[in-house]
Amino acid sequence: MEEKADDLPLMSNTSHILVKHYALDLDVSFDSQTITGSIVLFLQPNHLEETATGKACPPQPGGTCEDRRHETYVSNLSICSSQNKIKDYTLFAVGERDGSDKCDHHGNSKQTSGITSSENCCDRENHGSEDFALVLDCCDLSVLKVEEVDVTAVPGAEKCMSYVQPSHVYEQQLALSHQIPPELVSLPTSRWKEQLSYYMRCSQAPGCGELSFFTDTWSLKISKSGVKVPAAFPSAVRIRYKTTANGRSVKWAKDQSGRPCVYTFGSPINNRALFPCQEPPVAMSTWHASVRVAKNFIVLMSGENVTAPNHCGQGLYSWFYYVTMPMPASTFTIAIGSWTEVKDDSCTSVEKQHLSNLMPLGSDDKRFSGQACTHLEYPCRYSNPEAHVQTCIPHRVFAPDVLLNKCKESLSPLLPQCLEAAYSVLGTHPFSRLDILIVPSDFSSLGMASPHIIYLSQSVLSGRNELCVTRVCHEIAHAWFGLAIGARDWTEEWISEGFATHLEDVFLAKVQKLSQDEAREQQDFKAFLRWHRLSDELRNSQEDLQILRPQGDSTGEVSDSGASIVRHGLNADKTFMQVHYLKGYFLLRFLANTIGHDSYFSFLRTFVNRFHGQLILSQDFLHMLLENVAEQDIRGLSVEVIYKVWLDTPGMPKPLLEESQTWEGNQLTQQVKEEVLKWTQFNQRSRRSTRRKRQRSEEFDEKLVPDQLVLLLDLLLEENTLCAKTLRCLKKTYSLQEHDAEVRHRWCELVIKHKYTAAYKDVETFLLQDQAMGVYLYGELMVNEDARQQELAHKCFAAVRDQMDVSCVKVVGEMLF
């Protein structure tokens, strides 16, 4: 397919060489708003298999997981220097938890103009030579130096190697080059601590020669003179760099208490403006990171370990995290701020959480299939018997001080229930622990899930708990779909978001302990709501953005080097669209209804057991589903039919048009429609009444749940005229300003449409405090061509523009100017 201007390029030559492990050593400065340090890439040639046609293809994942406990924590790690000095790291196992006090205490008393290359070692003249070049995804970074790492200087490797080969063979390998012996990279999972220790020591080894490098808009290219093939390229490379103030992967902000913070936020370019990396999802790697920051800051990160900071002198503390499960670099997440842990007296301790929430595992329990894992070898929780009976993983909540009480009241009590609900549906939790962080108000989404950490917007804390619990369920679902199982082609976003949206309803019903009939009624009502939302989005978006598989039959294909594109990845409008959420959700709902819910969720557990730790395409899920379902239950479905009807075509799928007609009779829907009729009649009488005279009072139902209020306001938005009296009464009857952000957003739409000036303050408050949802209200304020509304839009945008991420700024700017 022809590349377009809004496509995101993935430049890394992953078909030639792969990063197996990243070692980050970073210093964070809030004064300069930069992150400075180094990253060591441990590389391995990608040995491609030749097919009968001569076309290279990557090897299929294989290997098995051993039945063993692996969630042991690395402790006593003193990584407080970025100098080339190898430290004697001591690793010891303390079990799956560390009950010491220190682990529960955090000491809390072209936007590429910044890209540079080194004058000394960047060989621009020879860049076009025949030397092999390592290509990394990179932008908005100042690369200072690139060097080969002398791994032969690392002591203790001989002891490691003695387990896998005779010492004289090891000595011969060291004499030949500075390469990492491949046996060390491929140690079995039972020796993962030795492998991590080796990576850590190698990352501190001295350099043994600078490498030529060259940067362009989207990539960093590194070469070594005389090296012609990937197999001869250095196996460990250190890159010294610093981020730029406006780098698109990193957000410098202030939290709700006015304290400085910084976090990565999953922008369309992912982490390439945080560190040079291989962004294509097929580049699965592990990592460890040491981050130095001032004493009063807490560092949260995608990491398996619960960590405590080590004092480094000069008021700095070092935080250390690691990951042993290979994942795409895009899943790496870091957040640094003056957060406070929300203490819940009933269940705060990681130790207490670990000892509780265990259930006996029966021999007929399908959550534990007993089958061998088929992913790349790593210490997998699915091979850990204890993990199979852990209904609720250890979890913590962090927030700025001003939101601690809200979190303690609404969020903390929900987490165990949501985690247990997810376990009851899908089985083993893929990750051993979870942190929840309430991010600043400029965060451009309601939530974002990464390994071991979830970001939540402050908007989910408003009103009752419905939005909060729904969003928490959605993000927890991503642990299985999006993280443990990822899309092999990023254009297939529906694999992550469609599953999470569908599963959030199922988890929610478990949390609320609904009967089967109650759950069905609630889920049908939510389907009706989402049908309204999808219909509106399809009417107001480009057709090519409505396709869930925009690459068509080319999905998953890459160039000979491994480079590819993410279709529409740089389209700012797409960032705020929900088509891939909604059409994906409706497809999965359709499949579940077609084959039966019991059969569908039984299959889903089987699918998770089979594909965890791997990347998939749509066809992997669909082929396995249709192969595991009785022929009489699939009603003529085929992968090709599903592609044509649901994934490869814009607009509303025909089966959804047919099903939507059945939702009109839903009891929850009927209650809303009765209320809408009352309000339209009330409005008609109010408009006819020109004098103050007593009107017949309406018996409005004040007990509508938030989702019903959302639909009520949606339907009232279809009315041409609502008078001020109706709007005033509407707000008072349901106490709309006390509800969650979904309800208040619809209220703001009504205020803007009908120019209800008495409530303009509500709109202003929403735009300032609920930035994750307020983007399109700016468009509503501008479309009426009302001077006062346009003034309000410009005023709010000016107040928050400097805190908004670039996608929001671009979209809102196009609306206003």
Side-chain angles (χ1 to χ4, degrees), residues 536-556:
D536 182 64
E537 191 149 299
L538 294 178
R539 282 193 302 269
N540 296 286
S541 62
Q542 304 171 30
E543 284 197 348
D544 56 352
L545 297 182
Q546 301 173 12
I547 300 173
L548 301 192
R549 210 172 63 117
Q551 304 278 45
D553 292 336
S554 299
T555 301

Side-chain angles (χ1 to χ4, degrees), residues 113-125:
S113 58
I115 296 178
T116 63
S117 51
S118 169
E119 293 288 341
N120 297 323
C121 63
C122 177
D123 186 0
R124 292 176 181 268
E125 296 299 323

